[in-house]
Amino acid sequence: MIYPSSVSPLTSLRVIVAADPAAAAELATTRILTLLHSKPTAALGVATGSTPSPVYRALSRAQLAESLDLSRARAFALDEYVGIDARLPQSYRSVIDAEVTEQLGFQRSHVSVPDGSAADLAAAARDYEAAIDAIGGVDLQILGIGHNGHIGFNEPGSAHDSVTRVVTLTQETREANARFFDDNVELVPQQAMTQGIGTILKARSIVLLAFGAGKAGAVARALEGPIEEASPASALRKHSDVTILLDEAAASMLS
Ligand code: GLP
């Protein structure tokens, strides 16, 4: 069951509380399909993590049913670990290859992931930002949220006008992501290359998904707390086209 959407009194954010993650994923998928039907060359901003996976699966099903051709569409990943071998399953390159490029049938050359193995990381970050600008920007950015409110790998304290750059991950984030590294936090890279918050805010539309009680605090702070650098996702309230798709547990701390 989908609850009626409500418009946050503070901002133009649309907050939709769906009955479960699958229902929220269907809503996100509908948004993506509408975009791709009207603009087959659209650029999607794609997030990794557990949260967007049902969206990519729903999109794959819808695509098969509707014979949607994604061969002209583009995708830009949010982030990548620094120093990780891109062939390892934990690299975001591997995750995006499997969940986006192969599952959805994007052309490989149309899918970009920050190069966390570049010899010159600063140049690679500048090139990534420039590549997004060169194709005219991201049309629809899919986002998850970290327990500490991070978006991409923009940890608390990130400037809201930050661009693609190398960042140091917090211990909290490394512990949260240790589940992908044999539950060994020592194996989680210390740094990542991430689109900045300013980069993310350049997308024409943004859809953030959050599921489960563990995200409720981060969601409440992002939507109802102060707009401040200590709260990276609060920056989304500066954007004019953001949809927040939650399950009931993730919405449970909203007033
Ligand atoms: C990682 C990613 C984020 C993602 C977050 C939450 O740190 N860099 O882009 O939003 O994890 O992940 P999950 O959806 O698995 O909870």
Side-chain angles (χ1 to χ4, degrees), residues 142-156:
I142 303 295
L143 282 183
I145 185 170
H147 294 94
N148 63 2
H150 72 228
I151 50 176
F153 269 133
N154 293 284
E155 299 282 31

Side-chain angles (χ1 to χ4, degrees), residues 73-144:
R74 292 183 180 275
F76 284 88
L78 278 173
D79 44 17
E80 175 62 287
Y81 293 109
V82 162
I84 198 167
D85 184 334
R87 293 167 299 186
L88 287 176
Q90 294 93 345
S91 80
Y92 284 180
R93 165 56 82 179
S94 293
V95 173
I96 293 291
D97 277 354
E99 294 199 0
V100 175
T101 315
E102 286 158 25
Q103 181 171 224
L104 301 178
F106 279 83
Q107 287 194 48
R108 290 188 77 79
S109 61
H110 284 184
V111 179
S112 303
V113 179
D115 184 359
S117 306
D120 186 341
L121 289 166
R126 278 196 303 275
D127 291 349
Y128 198 74
E129 187 81 18
I132 294 172
D133 291 340
I135 59 100
V138 164
D139 290 291
L140 177 59
Q141 175 67 55
I142 303 295
L143 282 183

Side-chain angles (χ1 to χ4, degrees), residues 48-52 78-79 92 144-146 150 152-153 173 177 179 215:
T48 49
S50 314
T51 307
L78 278 173
D79 44 17
Y92 284 180
I145 185 170
H150 72 228
F153 269 133
T173 294
N177 289 0
R179 67 192 195 277
K215 298 290 175 70

